[in-house]
Amino acid sequence: MTKVAAITGGASGIGRGTAKRLLDDGWTVVAIDMSETGLATLRKDFASYGSRLEVQQCDVTSADSVSAAFREIGTRHPRLNGLVCSAGLLRIGPLDEMPVEEFDALFSVNVRGLWLSAREAMPLLKAAGAADETARVVFLASISGIRHKIDSGAYAATKAAVIALTKVWAVESAPHKVLVNAIAPATVDTPMVRAHLNPGGNTRYRTSGTSPLGRIAQPEDMASVIRFLLSDDAAYVNGTVIPVDGGTSAAFVPPQGR
């Protein structure tokens, strides 16, 4: 039987990379995104996967939109085997200078939107668990939620909240055979981050560095670990947060000359 996964933020970045990885592995993927243009591009680029790629427009900041999206998904798929919450927002700035609307937007997408998506997907995931099928959730946390950075305090706070949700939800959903885990990337080359890396952009964004491996991550690096957490090989992994950062957070590297 073909497994079914829903991916928020599925039209770009880590969500898009994960969709491709799962499609390559034979899954049916429902890509959820607020961008109709992005979903149309995804459908065009991934046309070779045929009906195994489905798209669903949804604004994760709207409870009504999320509820309607998962009701629609449920009419086609009475069970979900996987949920990947990849929709995210990045805003940069010192905490004492950040506009209230930017602070609120970060929590609305990164925390509330993630919670709404998982809450609405949970009945479909529990149905899979009750049928002894795979039932997994993967949240996108961040290294910034573990090792905080200046000028990213609000973003870091949202990712620390994601980590807390991961751990508590993992225990609460375990009796239903739904496993909940998270990955914590460092800097990943995605459209969300790329805008802050342009020379002269002056956005105050501070990357986590090129990592001890000598490069920043690609979406495919994240997709591989997400795929593991959705697989049978991770059947006893629950409530974990896996850093996927090439060793960036493993040890501090002092600047040259010190």
Side-chain angles (χ1 to χ4, degrees):
M1 186 190 70
T2 301
K3 294 180 181 179
V4 181
I7 304 175
T8 70
S12 67
I14 295 171
R16 178 186 170 107
T18 301
K20 185 177 188 306
R21 179 61 189 271
L22 295 181
L23 287 164
D24 285 342
D25 286 350
W27 287 62
T28 291
V29 171
V30 184
I32 302 169
D33 206 284
M34 70 178 299
S35 172
E36 292 184 7
T37 300
L39 290 172
T41 299
L42 184 75
R43 188 190 289 277
K44 179 181 177 182
D45 292 347
F46 288 2
S48 62
Y49 296 107
S51 62
R52 286 196 297 108
L53 172 65
E54 302 175 12
V55 298
Q56 181 72 48
Q57 198 276 334
C58 175
D59 177 1
V60 298
T61 67
S62 165
D64 289 342
S65 181
V66 174
S67 178
F70 279 95
R71 278 200 308 272
E72 173 62 26
I73 292 168
T75 64
R76 303 190 302 271
H77 305 289
R79 297 188 292 274
L80 273 181
N81 303 107
L83 171 70
V84 180
C85 289
S86 183
L89 183 68
L90 176 63
R91 292 290 183 268
I92 302 303
L95 288 169
D96 59 358
E97 297 178 10
M98 175 166 280
V100 170
E101 58 271 19
E102 290 194 3
F103 187 93
D104 288 346
L106 280 168
F107 276 87
S108 182
V109 176
N110 295 354
V111 182
R112 186 173 181 271
L114 176 146
W115 167 70
L116 285 171
S117 299
R119 186 187 70 164
E120 295 301 323
M122 198 56 70
L124 302 177
L125 291 157
K126 288 180 179 179
D132 288 325
E133 297 177 10
T134 299
R136 308 289 167 78
V137 178
V138 181
F139 292 148
L140 267 291
S142 171
I143 286 300
S144 68
I146 300 171
R147 186 195 66 181
H148 313 315
K149 295 186 293 187
I150 62 171
D151 291 329
S152 299
Y155 178 78
T158 68
K159 294 305 183 176
V162 169
I163 290 171
L165 290 174
T166 300
K167 293 176 179 292
V168 175
W169 224 327
V171 176
E172 290 181 347
S173 64
H176 303 281
K177 301 181 182 178
V178 179
L179 308 185
V180 182
N181 295 285
I183 66 167
T187 303
V188 183
D189 184 11
T190 67
M192 184 179 77
V193 170
R194 204 172 298 136
H196 295 273
L197 300 179
N198 294 330
N202 195 30
T203 66
R204 299 177 67 97
Y205 179 70
R206 301 164 187 257
T207 74
S208 296
T210 55
S211 88
L213 298 181
R215 64 178 179 87
I216 65 172
Q218 297 299 313
E220 294 76 17
D221 296 311
M222 305 303 120
S224 293
V225 182
I226 292 170
R227 176 64 185 89
F228 161 71
L229 290 172
L230 295 174
S231 75
D232 293 339
D233 290 336
Y236 205 68
V237 181
N238 193 36
T240 64
V241 180
I242 301 178
V244 189
D245 64 355
T248 300
S249 61
F252 175 64
V253 180
Q256 294 293 325
R258 292 189 179 183

